[in-house]
Amino acid sequence: MFPPPPLTETLSRTIIKDFCQDLAPKRLEESGCAVCGQLTPTSELSRLKSIKGLLSILEAPGVTRIERQSSAEPIREFRGAVLDYRCNRVCDGCRRSLRKGQVPRLALARGLWLGNVPDELACLNFVEKILIARIRHNCCFVRVASGMRKMVSHVVAFESPIPKVYKALPPPLEDLDDVLAVLFTGPSRPTQEDFSRTPLLVRRNYVARALTWLKLNHPDYADLEISLDNLNRYPRTGRQLQLNTVRSSQIRSLRVPACSIMTMKMVLNKATVLSLFMGSLATNWKQKPLNR
């Protein structure tokens, strides 16, 4: 029947009631599960005390670690079940597994425990996080577009064919050109103020604090050598990377056929190849203006 009859008052009230129930806070709010640490709707969580007698199965030696402040302190672990003690609830999936006497598939006790992220690591910017990574397994390309009032940037990561493991960190300044390329596009060259607005500057003291914390508290960094010589080579101000600056009107000239990428890798370094290749992609992805 067309057109359909108008809504009745009863149907209108039912629709509005269902809509309000679906948008109720208890349907939208999320909280963490103490067993797996995942964000879960509060409607699917129950109190952790209800399964307090079943938590012994989550005891896993060698998974947790108490934060150390100096090398003189002994390495200690948290006692009891491996849980996220900032949460006091458990999700339905983990509760079902524990009632069956099984360790949940995504439980923190299966080696997924990380603990609280310290301030030494949480305050690092993009480049500083690259400097403290012991295993280098990808290459990154950053394109920063500057306009009249704001700057927009995009990051694309490429998998490196041969991962590199560092025995000393931070890496030499020259190694950054092989794993990170930055392309500025805009009407003029970037100024010092533009550099300060992008996460491309390296703060030496932040990197040193992060590496010191990792060496004390991360088992994979126990034998790491902190190279102060490499760290002091990073300038305190200004840029640390080899930056490619291109005007917006010149992006079209950066088109590179896909078949020539393998040939250029034999001559150019990774940063240059990524800059040219991503310039080609940026041109191909650019939308055409609408005809009015």
Side-chain angles (χ1 to χ4, degrees):
M1 182 178 177
F2 186 84
L7 293 178
T8 62
E9 184 177 356
T10 303
L11 182 58
S12 300
R13 293 191 179 195
T14 303
I15 294 175
I16 296 174
K17 180 181 178 180
D18 294 342
F19 178 78
C20 294
Q21 290 179 351
D22 291 339
L23 294 182
K26 63 180 181 180
R27 294 289 186 90
L28 301 178
E29 290 180 352
E30 293 181 331
S31 185
C33 172
V35 177
C36 63
Q38 296 186 102
L39 282 177
T40 309
T42 55
S43 59
E44 302 176 6
L45 294 171
S46 58
R47 292 174 35 174
L48 184 63
K49 293 183 178 180
S50 62
I51 56 171
K52 185 177 181 180
L54 306 175
L55 298 179
S56 59
I57 195 176
L58 297 178
E59 296 181 4
V63 175
T64 62
R65 191 165 180 171
I66 298 178
E67 181 179 356
R68 297 193 302 168
Q69 301 297 333
S70 66
S71 57
E73 298 181 13
I75 298 177
R76 297 176 298 167
E77 299 180 4
F78 289 100
R79 295 182 179 180
V82 180
L83 299 171
D84 187 349
Y85 289 97
R86 296 172 299 177
C87 307
N88 57 3
R89 299 183 182 183
V90 58
C91 64
D92 295 341
C94 292
R95 185 181 60 176
R96 285 193 298 267
S97 298
L98 291 175
R99 289 190 181 278
K100 296 179 182 179
Q102 302 174 353
V103 179
R105 183 172 59 91
L106 298 178
L108 301 179
R110 291 186 176 272
L112 301 178
W113 183 88
L114 293 178
N116 299 331
V117 179
D119 296 336
E120 289 83 355
L121 301 181
C123 63
L124 299 179
N125 60 34
F126 180 71
V127 176
E128 292 167 351
K129 291 178 181 179
I130 294 179
L131 295 182
I132 67 171
R134 190 162 191 184
I135 299 179
R136 189 66 45 77
H137 55 79
N138 57 12
C139 303
C140 300
F141 175 87
V142 182
R143 178 188 175 190
V144 182
S146 60
M148 295 296 294
R149 297 181 180 179
K150 64 180 180 179
M151 301 179 68
V152 181
S153 60
H154 302 277
V155 179
V156 180
F158 296 84
E159 184 178 359
S160 181
I162 302 178
K164 185 174 182 179
V165 180
Y166 286 98
K167 296 183 178 179
L169 289 176
L173 182 61
E174 298 79 10
D175 285 13
L176 278 184
D177 291 337
D178 294 334
V179 297
L180 182 63
V182 181
L183 176 65
F184 276 87
T185 62
S188 59
R189 296 181 63 86
T191 62
Q192 187 63 35
E193 181 181 358
D194 294 334
F195 288 140
S196 62
R197 293 163 57 190
T198 57
L200 303 176
L201 300 180
V202 175
R203 298 166 295 183
R204 298 182 187 176
N205 54 337
Y206 282 70
V207 175
R209 287 172 48 196
L211 291 176
T212 302
W213 188 93
L214 289 171
K215 186 176 178 63
L216 289 173
N217 298 283
H218 200 295
D220 294 337
Y221 284 74
D223 59 343
L224 175 70
E225 176 186 354
I226 301 178
S227 177
L228 297 179
D229 294 337
N230 292 343
L231 184 61
N232 293 331
R233 294 185 59 187
Y234 290 87
R236 295 183 180 274
T237 59
R239 60 180 179 87
Q240 287 83 13
L241 307 174
Q242 180 180 354
L243 303 181
N244 302 300
T245 307
V246 180
R247 294 180 179 272
S248 301
S249 58
Q250 298 176 346
I251 294 183
R252 294 184 177 276
S253 63
L254 293 178
R255 289 184 175 179
V256 180
C259 60
S260 63
I261 295 297
M262 297 302 297
T263 304
M264 287 193 303
K265 283 185 178 179
M266 303 298 295
V267 181
L268 305 177
N269 58 26
K270 297 179 182 178
T272 307
V273 173
L274 292 178
S275 300
L276 295 176
F277 180 58
M278 289 306 300
S280 175
L281 291 181
T283 304
N284 295 335
W285 290 345
K286 187 176 180 181
Q287 296 182 355
K288 297 182 179 180
L290 298 177
N291 296 326
R292 295 184 179 178

